[in-house]
Amino acid sequence: MRPFKALERRLGWKLFLSYLIVVMVGTVVLASTAKFEAPVALSRHMAHMETMMGDNAGLAADLRDSFVAAVNEVLVVAALAAALAAVIVSIFTTRRIVGPIQAMMQASQRIAAGDYHQRVQILSEDELGALVSSFNRMAETLEQTERRRVELIGDLAHEFRTPLSSIRSIMEGLVDGVLPADPATFLDIQREISRLQRLVNDLLELSRAEAGQISLEIQPAAVSNLIHTAADRLQPQFDDKGVDLDVAVSQDLPLVRVDPGRLAQVLLNLLGNALQYTPSGGRVTIRAWHEGHAIAIAVQDTGIGIPAEALPHIFERFYRVDKSRARTGGGSGIGLTIARHLVEAQGGRIWAESPGPGQGSILTFTLPLAS
Ligand code: ADP
């Protein structure tokens, strides 16, 4: 039973067996042809020869026997040569086919065990080569996902540690009597707790967005109203900081297909960022215009700008151009990631432009028309 089990599990053996079967079938066909057809053909030729050589029954029988023996001998040699050819060909094909499959098998076992650097060498350009190449691409994606997961855990720990250690040192100061138990101290604690709460809410929102679980209530809406509502909400903060907020949006733009609550969330995020990264005396302008089958909305500021090398990354989670600067301002690098998910879930796209540091930024996104 065991040899058959081994045979079932080895592709190389199966290939060899298939060649051997072809050789055996060929030999049987040849042998049967030689047994049944050859004597008939030989008799025909012998009859022809007898007419030329005269009647010699003994010689004819000898010739017939020798011919059959010669044919059998040739068949045995041919079958042995074919079996040898089957062995050689199956060794070659096994190397070409089974080799890469075994390499992929070993690599996938190592990947499953946590070694994500594994790749398989591409040796051919056929379907097997294509399979190895897509295996390598899959390994690459897994490696990136794993790297991001590890980074994510590190980033999260870092984000939580800062407010927690602030709260802890304030509490120690209170216990030791170094800090007065007055409203200012409690406000400091409250600020750090709010920061933690904001972070937890953002994380919940981010995980929902990344899992594609954002519930949307899509409906036709007028962007100008939504933009004015968001701008009015943040106007007091702009006034406090001394940054001008300018809404340059026409009332007669076509309706868009959006979830008004989610659109407000995106607008508040972009306006909040523009305010945060624009020094007092600066200006933030919102524009909206009709472009093909979409409405484009741009939030432009005269703030600190974004370096060219950071532009492709600012929509990645936890990405901050200047970590120390963002941390003092309370940013955790999640806002734009959520904004990108929200815009894309509503059928639009979002991008950032900046002429360079100190020269302001423009964040633009599109929304599909309702019609
Ligand atoms: P954060 O909460 O840190 O602002 P975001 O995801 O909203 O997180 O933004 C990611 C990073 O992109 C910010 O940390 C900041 O460095 C940069 N950024 C976003 N908007 C602007 C802007 N208007 N001007 C300059 N930099 C910006």
Side-chain angles (χ1 to χ4, degrees), residues 52-162:
M52 294 198 298
M53 289 178 3
D55 193 11
N56 187 341
L59 179 65
D62 278 355
L63 265 174
R64 205 171 287 125
D65 291 347
S66 306
F67 171 76
V68 171
V71 167
N72 284 343
E73 201 181 301
V74 168
L75 274 179
V76 170
V77 173
L80 286 176
L84 189 70
V87 172
I88 294 168
V89 171
S90 71
I91 289 174
F92 176 75
T93 7
T94 303
R95 284 234 180 96
R96 300 283 297 185
I97 297 176
V98 181
I101 293 178
Q102 272 174 346
M104 277 193 287
M105 216 165 68
Q106 283 161 5
S108 62
Q109 277 162 0
R110 289 202 207 106
I111 288 174
D115 178 4
Y116 292 92
H117 304 305
Q118 291 297 318
R119 298 290 179 276
V120 179
Q121 202 187 346
I122 300 173
L123 294 172
S124 59
E125 288 181 6
D126 52 13
E127 287 88 342
L128 211 58
L131 178 66
V132 172
S133 141
S134 57
F135 176 88
N136 285 344
R137 270 202 305 280
M138 184 194 71
E140 176 82 36
T141 313
L142 280 175
E143 191 177 358
Q144 275 174 10
T145 312
E146 178 60 14
R147 199 173 42 235
R148 285 210 199 103
R149 192 182 68 84
V150 171
E151 278 170 12
L152 176 69
I153 293 171
D155 286 336
L156 279 180
H158 204 78
E159 287 303 318
F160 279 102
R161 198 170 53 191
T162 316

Side-chain angles (χ1 to χ4, degrees), residues 202 269-278 284 299-307 310 313-323 325-327 329-339 352-354 360-363:
D202 280 354
N269 182 273
L270 297 188
L271 286 173
N273 276 350
L275 174 63
Q276 185 175 353
Y277 300 113
T278 303
V284 172
V299 176
Q300 178 167 16
D301 63 57
T302 57
I304 59 170
I306 303 169
H313 301 290
I314 63 166
F315 297 98
E316 288 170 12
R317 60 163 119 86
F318 297 112
Y319 184 85
R320 290 165 299 202
V321 175
D322 175 349
K323 299 195 182 224
R325 182 190 76 198
R327 185 154 293 138
S332 51
I334 301 178
L336 282 183
T337 316
I338 296 174
E353 293 158 286
S354 173
S361 321
I362 311 171
L363 277 105

Side-chain angles (χ1 to χ4, degrees), residues 214-226:
I214 304 178
S215 56
L216 292 174
E217 284 174 27
I218 301 282
Q219 50 187 267
V223 275
S224 61
N225 294 347
L226 293 165

Side-chain angles (χ1 to χ4, degrees), residues 149-190:
R149 192 182 68 84
V150 171
E151 278 170 12
L152 176 69
I153 293 171
D155 286 336
L156 279 180
H158 204 78
E159 287 303 318
F160 279 102
R161 198 170 53 191
T162 316
L164 282 174
S165 25
S166 295
I167 294 171
R168 186 182 161 161
S169 44
I170 298 171
M171 296 308 272
E172 279 171 1
L174 278 171
V175 171
D176 295 345
V178 181
L179 284 175
D182 61 9
T185 309
F186 294 124
L187 269 177
D188 281 346
I189 299 175
Q190 197 188 38

Side-chain angles (χ1 to χ4, degrees), residues 16-69:
F16 171 62
L17 201 71
S18 64
Y19 292 131
L20 212 58
I21 289 171
V22 172
V23 169
M24 274 158 59
V25 170
T27 311
V28 168
V29 171
L30 266 178
S32 340
T33 319
K35 188 166 170 51
F36 300 111
E37 285 295 322
V40 179
L42 185 67
S43 299
R44 210 170 47 243
H45 287 289
M46 290 295 295
H48 180 64
M49 277 169 70
E50 274 163 13
T51 54
M52 294 198 298
M53 289 178 3
D55 193 11
N56 187 341
L59 179 65
D62 278 355
L63 265 174
R64 205 171 287 125
D65 291 347
S66 306
F67 171 76
V68 171

